[in-house]
């Protein structure tokens, strides 16, 4: 049975520019333009979607189809081709989520679930480019100042080839799928050159065992500690820290310790560490090679004695989006300290998918993402 399906879309009238809604980052949840917020804030978004459809507020395209979304980067950021996503419907039993405790959409028909696909030879990327060339333009405009195009892919040999590739390729969503019906999904190949896999950092709050001098002494048994010269509170310091953290020989792993006063330390984990005997270390050797797994097992559990630091909603360990936000939180006293991570390399994510393993909660986020509200999946399907 096919797991990737065309769907009957509900279309709304969109202006030439969609404004982003306010609110903190929501991991891999779809960005919410202002016109979508009232729908998702309704007591029952699915019922509200039906009401809008039945009252004529939404136009129903009864012909099932696939759609391609082209996302261009902000001016001066990306100069290459757009990142292309395929909008489709996923069946309830299609594939398991890539992360533990994934984001659960408020409405599976409204918020497209980001879904990563292994595309080692670029076949899916090429098919999406071909489909976009032949697609019918549904809407073209901007979201948050960046160009966006929505194209309808009519039932055709190209759409059948897309389905055939996706029914065979390793594929994992970064959000939970509906257990009852179809889920609107935004599928993207890992081979897209403009796709960014961004790390989600960790911050500490209320950890009595974290005393800076004692911590640095104990962690030296597991990592080589290097002090940074430039303060993290300056743009130059942030750039230098990112470069130092990213400059590793193959097989090495490191995290950036963020301390008050703009101070930073690179913790470069010692090679040859035997993690298999450590309590809380992943049993899967693929997962044991992740920076976040090393941080959780060696630093947070072993050195600081924090129980289950990978658990969602932990009272002492908090996910933070962006190194600048992490530094600002530590400077403001919101957090005691923070640990910044490198972006997970594509090959590492690919290996986790191949091993049919599951990443810890809130390991990564994807940029750019398809905003919600370009179209909706008919809840009656």
């Amino acid at each position: 049975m096919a797991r990737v399906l065309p769907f009957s879309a509900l279309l709304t009238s969109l202006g030439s520019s969609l404004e982003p809604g306010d609110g903190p980052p929501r991991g891999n949840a779809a960005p919410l333009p202002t016109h979508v917020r009232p729908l998702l804030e309704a007591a029952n978004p699915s019922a509200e979607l039906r009401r809008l459809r039945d009252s004529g507020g939404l136009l129903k395209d009864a012909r099932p189809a696939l759609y391609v979304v082209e996302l261009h980067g902000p001016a001066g950021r990306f100069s290459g081709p757009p990142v292309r996503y395929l909008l489709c419907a996923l069946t309830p039993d299609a594939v398991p989520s890539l992360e533990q405790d994934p984001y659960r959409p408020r409405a599976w028909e409204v918020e497209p679930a980001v879904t990563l696909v292994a595309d080692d030879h670029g076949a899916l990327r090429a098919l999406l480019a071909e489909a976009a060339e032949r697609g019918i333009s549904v809407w073209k405009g901007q979201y948050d100042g960046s160009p966006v195009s929505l194209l309808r892919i009519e039932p055709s040999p190209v759409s059948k080839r897309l389905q055939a590739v996706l029914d065979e390729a390793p594929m994992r969503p970064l959000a939970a799928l509906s257990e009852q019906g179809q889920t609107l999904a935004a599928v993207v190949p890992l081979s897209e050159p403009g796709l960014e896999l961004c790390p989600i950092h960790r911050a500490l709050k209320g950890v009595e065992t974290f005393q800076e001098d004692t911590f640095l002494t104990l962690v030296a048994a597991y990592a080589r500690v290097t002090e940074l010269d430039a303060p993290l509170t300056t743009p130059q310091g942030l750039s230098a820290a990112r470069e130092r953290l990213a400059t590793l020989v193959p097989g090495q792993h490191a995290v950036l310790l963020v301390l008050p006063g703009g101070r930073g330390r690179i913790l470069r984990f010692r090679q040859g560490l035997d993690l298999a005997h450590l309590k809380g270390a992943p049993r899967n050797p693929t997962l044991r090679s992740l920076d976040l797994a090393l941080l959780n097992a060696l630093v947070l559990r072993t050195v600081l004695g924090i129980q289950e630091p990978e658990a969602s909603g932990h009272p002492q360990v908090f996910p933070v989006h962006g190194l600048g936000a992490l530094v600002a939180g530590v400077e403001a006293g919101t957090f005691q300290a923070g640990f910044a991570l490198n972006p997970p390399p594509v090959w590492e994510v690919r290996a986790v998918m191949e091993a049919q393993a599951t990443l810890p909660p809130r390991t990564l986020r994807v940029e750019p993402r398809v905003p919600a509200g370009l179209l909706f999946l008919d809840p009656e399907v």
Side-chain angles (χ1 to χ4, degrees):
M1 179 180 176
R3 57 183 181 176
V4 174
L5 302 171
F7 63 99
S8 297
L10 299 177
L11 304 171
T12 186
S13 178
L14 297 173
S16 60
S17 180
L18 306 180
E19 296 301 321
D22 297 328
R26 303 181 308 143
N28 287 299
L32 293 184
T34 52
H35 76 279
V36 181
R37 295 192 71 88
L39 174 60
L40 288 177
E41 289 170 356
N44 186 332
S46 297
E48 179 65 12
L49 200 60
R50 293 188 189 93
R51 187 193 68 78
L52 290 170
R53 179 200 60 196
D54 295 342
S55 66
L58 296 172
L59 174 65
K60 179 176 180 178
D61 188 344
R63 302 167 299 162
L66 301 171
Y67 294 81
V68 170
V69 178
E70 294 185 327
L71 301 176
H72 297 261
R77 188 173 182 191
F78 301 122
S79 58
V83 175
R84 294 186 178 93
Y85 280 82
L86 181 74
L87 293 185
C88 61
L90 291 183
T91 56
D93 57 350
V95 279
S97 297
L98 182 60
E99 292 184 341
Q100 299 172 21
D101 191 20
Y103 171 75
R104 294 185 65 83
R106 181 89 170 88
W108 280 282
E109 308 94 342
V110 177
E111 300 176 80
V114 174
T115 304
L116 303 178
V117 179
D119 188 37
D120 299 343
H121 303 291
L124 178 58
R125 185 179 74 245
L127 270 175
L128 287 173
E130 181 180 346
E133 287 182 1
R134 303 183 182 188
I136 299 171
S137 179
V138 176
W139 178 79
K140 183 176 291 187
Q142 291 193 337
Y143 173 71
D144 197 16
S146 299
V148 180
S149 299
L150 176 65
L151 303 139
R152 189 179 193 276
I153 310 304
E154 297 283 350
S156 62
V158 172
S159 67
K160 290 180 180 179
R161 286 159 59 201
L162 280 167
Q163 286 183 266
V165 167
L166 289 171
D167 281 339
E168 297 294 334
M171 176 172 63
R172 302 286 290 277
L174 286 168
L177 302 184
S178 170
E179 298 89 356
Q180 306 299 324
Q182 295 179 1
T183 296
L184 178 63
V187 174
V188 63
L190 284 169
S191 61
E192 275 285 359
L195 189 71
E196 288 189 277
L197 301 182
C198 306
I200 300 179
H201 310 301
R202 295 299 190 264
L204 302 182
K205 183 177 181 179
V207 181
E208 295 181 358
T209 55
F210 183 82
Q211 303 296 327
E212 184 180 327
D213 292 340
T214 303
F215 170 78
L216 291 173
T217 300
L218 293 175
V219 82
Y222 302 99
R224 184 158 56 89
V225 181
T226 305
E227 185 174 356
L228 297 179
D229 297 326
L232 298 175
T233 47
T234 66
Q236 296 82 2
L238 279 178
S239 296
R242 288 191 181 97
E243 290 175 5
R244 288 289 298 275
L245 186 59
T247 308
L248 298 171
V249 300
Q252 282 197 333
H253 299 270
V255 298
L256 168 63
L257 170 63
V258 177
L259 296 167
R263 295 172 297 127
R265 304 282 193 279
I266 297 291
L267 308 183
R268 197 178 302 246
F269 294 109
R270 301 187 184 280
Q271 293 183 295
L273 292 171
D274 181 14
L275 299 183
H277 72 282
L278 289 179
K279 183 180 179 181
R283 301 277 75 92
N284 187 306
T286 301
L287 295 179
R288 285 203 298 270
S289 68
L290 299 174
D291 288 353
L292 182 56
L294 291 169
L295 175 66
N296 285 335
L298 291 177
V299 178
L300 302 185
R301 277 181 177 268
T302 304
V303 175
L304 292 175
I306 300 173
Q307 299 298 311
E308 299 183 356
E310 68 280 356
S312 297
H314 197 284
Q316 296 175 310
V317 182
F318 298 83
V320 178
H321 297 265
L323 178 56
L326 181 63
V327 171
V330 173
E331 283 301 290
T334 304
F335 304 119
Q336 290 171 280
F339 297 94
L341 300 149
N342 271 317
V346 169
W347 67 263
E348 206 167 67
V349 175
R350 175 70 174 83
V352 172
M353 296 170 69
E354 184 67 26
Q356 298 183 343
T358 305
L359 293 171
R362 292 156 185 79
T363 296
L364 61 88
R365 77 178 196 279
V366 170
E367 294 289 349
R369 302 189 304 281
V370 176
L374 299 181
L375 50 69
F376 310 106
L377 188 150
D378 189 344
E380 295 301 332
V381 174

